[in-house]
């Protein structure tokens, strides 16, 4: 190391930070990682994920480059529709209502598969995503452009990236909270941190990559920026993502960017822990099969179109809608026709389930307004139209004449036994952050790069608005993290050149 000065300090130990640290080290830089939490709580939100990771791809053969264990025999039984860069881009634009910053959206979709291959090279392993196909007569038919998952979910991802950092001799300082960057003559000269013993110190460095997530774990910031009702949201992931890195970037002159009153949220088991529990990772509390069923609130009324789209495109929005209901509570309802089609999370012992043989009994056990509930179901059943039911496509089997309608997968709700799963809203991450360009440079109010300051992951503002296509959070962290390491190296080479 040059006079005990790190080339780059990476703030955070989630996916974006670790990809940035590996990439910077690959470029030959001296890297230090600083993490606010203790070692046993490292990995940020990334640790808690299901590991679903969205990328563009041409065909199964290409995918098999990162899925070597899929045999020819298995491949014969897989139908994986192409998902091109333009499909990923279109999905991003569609769910963000055209607001995703174009250069960031291009970067994410264009670099996605190349980055998956790079992650594989670093030791990250992938599996076929068991939640993204239907078995049709022995053929696994994938849908929704999300066939990959990191092996052993977020846990496996974080473990592999830390293994790689160990191989590369990159050190991590735990219980070390970044509190500011030190700038001199317009350049970064170090990172100010609060140490475990509450003392403050300066760690000298020539560049800083901020990858410390959003502000979803700060109740005060949630209420201030997203809305008062967010006080009661369950925090689905890391307790440490309180927006420190965003504040650091803004204080250093960065531009506030993106949808500050927006966030990603998900329907979550009503009895889930109030903040991510590190002994129960893997995203086990979400409840995602609602397009196949109905959703009612405590009053017994429906309030969203459960079948508007595949769950990847609606779950963020519907989590938010649940928070607006009495007691922030809703019930997902399924009858025995669809119960076997539900995702695995409904079978876990952690899933709160109410089962009944009649609708009256179900209403009583749920504690909802029985007459309203029964009327809701009756009106719904009468509104269901004939049609071919097919959960692997948007089948157009819908209701007519009720509000909200159910646009796809509308079966009558009448086959006992009946099941109700109480849910609430869990916040995943916030959308408002900092202006960052496609080189992962933090930009100032004039949209000029702040020398030596980079950001990745949830800290990149302007990519997601309203909603996001599921699996894009991890992909974004990897794409912009990898890029941040590379851009930091280019920045340091240019500095060296100048000094000659
Ligand atoms: C339950 C759950 C399931 C999810 N499932 C998926 C999924 O399947 N697919 C997908 O794409 N996305 C998923 N997401 C979203 C995904 O987790 C995020 O988009 C992504 O992990 C963000 O990565 P990141 O590296 O930016 O942040 P994080 O992984 O949250 O990392 C931020 C890190 O910064 C640290 N930190 C914070 N402040 C400081 C500070 N001042 N100093 C030092 N360190 C600090 C934190 O402790 C943490 O380690 C899920 C999220 C949750 C909560």
């Amino acid at each position: 190391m040059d006079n005990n000065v790190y080339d780059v300090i990476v703030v955070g130990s989630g996916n974006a930070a670790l990809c940035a640290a590996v990439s910077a080290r690959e470029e030959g830089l001296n890297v230090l990682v600083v993490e606010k939490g203790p070692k046993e709580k490292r990995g940020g939100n990334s640790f808690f994920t299901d590991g679903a990771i969205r990328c563009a791809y041409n065909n199964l053969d290409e995918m098999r480059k990162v899925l070597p264990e899929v045999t020819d025999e298995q491949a014969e039984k897989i139908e994986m529709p192409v998902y091109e860069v333009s499909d990923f881009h279109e999905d991003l634009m569609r769910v963000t209502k055209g607001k995703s910053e174009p250069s960031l959206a291009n970067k994410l979709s264009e670099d996605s598969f190349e980055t998956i291959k790079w992650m594989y090279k670093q030791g990250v392993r992938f599996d076929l995503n068991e939640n993204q196909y239907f078995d049709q007569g022995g053929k696994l038919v994938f849908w929704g452009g999300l066939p990959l998952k990191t092996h052993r979910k977020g846990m496996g991802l974080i473990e592999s990236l830390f293994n790689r950092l160990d191989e590369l001799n990159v050190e991590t300082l735990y219980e070390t909270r970044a509190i500011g960057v030190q700038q001199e003559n317009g350049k970064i000269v170090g990172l100010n941190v609060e140490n475990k013993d509450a003392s403050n110190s300066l760690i000298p460095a020539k560049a800083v990559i901020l990858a410390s997530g959003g502000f979803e774990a700060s109740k005060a910031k949630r209420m201030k920026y997203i809305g008062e009702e967010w006080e009661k949201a369950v925090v689905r992931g890391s307790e440490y993502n309180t927006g420190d890195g965003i504040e650091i970037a803004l204080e250093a002159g960065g531009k506030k960017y993106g949808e500050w009153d927006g966030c990603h949220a998900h329907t979550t088991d009503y009895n889930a822990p109030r903040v991510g529990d590190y002994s129960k990772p893997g995203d086990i509390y979400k409840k995602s099969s609602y397009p196949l069923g109905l959703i009612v609130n405590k009053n017994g009324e429906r309030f969203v179109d459960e079948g508007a789209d595949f769950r990847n495109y609606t779950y963020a929005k519907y989590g938010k809608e649940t928070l607006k209901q009495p007691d922030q509570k809703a019930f997902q309802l399924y009858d025995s026709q669809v119960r076997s089609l539900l995702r695995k999370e409904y079978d876990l012992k952690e899933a709160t389930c109410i089962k009944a043989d009649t609708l009256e009994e179900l209403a009583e056990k749920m504690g909802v307004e029985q007459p309203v509930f029964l009327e809701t179901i009756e009106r719904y059943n009468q509104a269901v139209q004939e049609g071919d039911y097919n959960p692997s496509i948007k089948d157009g089997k819908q209701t007519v004449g009720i509000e909200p309608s159910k646009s796809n997968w509308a079966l009558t709700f009448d086959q006992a036994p009946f099941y109700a799963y109480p849910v609430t809203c869990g916040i995943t991450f916030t959308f408002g952050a900092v202006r960052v360009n496609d080189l992962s440079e933090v930009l100032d109010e004039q949209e000029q790069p702040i020398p030596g300051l980079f950001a990745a992951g949830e800290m990149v503002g302007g990519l997601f608005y309203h909603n996001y296509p599921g699996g894009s959070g991890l992909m974004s962290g990897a794409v912009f993290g990898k890029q941040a390491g590379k851009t930091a190296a280019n920045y340091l080479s240019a500095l060296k050149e100048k000094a000659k």
Side-chain angles (χ1 to χ4, degrees), residues 11-17 34-37 41-54 176-179 211-214 216 236-238 240-245 248 278 283 286 427-429 456-459 468 470-475 477:
V11 179
S13 71
N15 175 53
V34 301
E35 165 55 44
K36 185 172 171 182
K41 291 186 175 183
R42 69 187 185 180
N45 273 356
S46 308
F47 176 81
F48 287 96
T49 65
D50 199 20
I53 187 157
R54 180 174 296 266
T176 305
R177 183 170 80 95
I179 52 176
S212 47
E216 59 278 359
R236 302 176 64 224
S238 169
Y240 300 113
N241 290 359
T242 52
D244 301 351
I248 292 170
Y278 286 79
D283 203 3
K286 70 180 169 197
I427 187 166
T428 320
F429 63 92
E458 288 169 3
M459 284 211 45
Y468 93 145
S472 312
L474 288 178
M475 198 67 257

Side-chain angles (χ1 to χ4, degrees), residues 234-395:
V234 161
V235 175
R236 302 176 64 224
S238 169
E239 65 208 82
Y240 300 113
N241 290 359
T242 52
D244 301 351
I246 298 174
E247 269 176 38
I248 292 170
L250 298 182
E251 273 164 27
K255 181 178 173 178
K256 215 171 163 183
Y257 202 61
E259 191 186 26
W260 271 70
D261 58 356
C263 65
H264 181 274
H266 206 307
T267 39
T268 297
D269 196 291
Y270 197 72
N271 297 315
R274 299 290 102 181
V275 61
D277 175 350
Y278 286 79
S279 69
K280 302 228 166 181
D283 203 3
I284 57 176
Y285 295 102
K286 70 180 169 197
K287 295 281 174 292
S288 305
S289 293
Y290 59 81
L292 304 180
L294 295 174
I295 305 175
V296 295
N297 61 17
K298 266 188 75 178
N299 301 336
E301 294 158 335
R302 291 175 60 243
F303 55 93
V304 290
D305 176 350
E306 301 88 345
D309 207 331
F310 288 117
R311 59 128 203 139
N312 284 335
Y313 305 111
T314 57
Y315 66 82
K317 232 170 21 191
Y318 290 179
K320 215 174 285 187
E321 288 306 314
T322 307
L323 202 55
K324 296 180 190 157
Q325 306 309 310
D327 289 348
Q328 299 83 43
K329 191 172 191 176
F331 296 89
Q332 293 180 2
L333 308 176
Y334 305 99
D335 74 359
S336 63
Q337 293 177 88
V338 294
R339 177 61 190 84
S340 63
L341 299 177
L342 304 190
R343 288 165 53 112
K344 292 195 172 103
E345 69 247 23
Y346 290 82
D347 299 327
L348 298 174
K349 68 174 183 339
E350 287 82 4
T352 310
C353 177
I354 298 163
K355 189 176 171 188
D357 288 324
T358 64
L359 291 176
E360 289 75 11
E361 184 193 350
L362 190 70
E364 197 187 319
K365 285 183 170 170
M366 287 158 64
V368 296
E369 297 281 335
Q370 200 184 92
V372 181
F373 175 76
L374 295 177
E375 198 194 322
T376 298
I377 301 296
E378 198 186 325
R379 287 191 57 227
Y380 166 79
N381 281 342
Q382 282 169 5
V384 170
Q385 302 298 297
E386 290 295 317
D388 288 334
Y389 176 75
N390 184 349
S392 62
I393 56 165
K394 278 164 71 175
D395 63 5

Side-chain angles (χ1 to χ4, degrees), residues 219 221-231 261:
K219 192 188 282 189
K221 285 182 188 167
R222 282 201 309 266
M223 290 169 72
K224 177 170 175 191
Y225 295 114
I226 323 181
E228 295 282 318
E229 72 272 24
W230 288 88
E231 180 189 2
D261 58 356

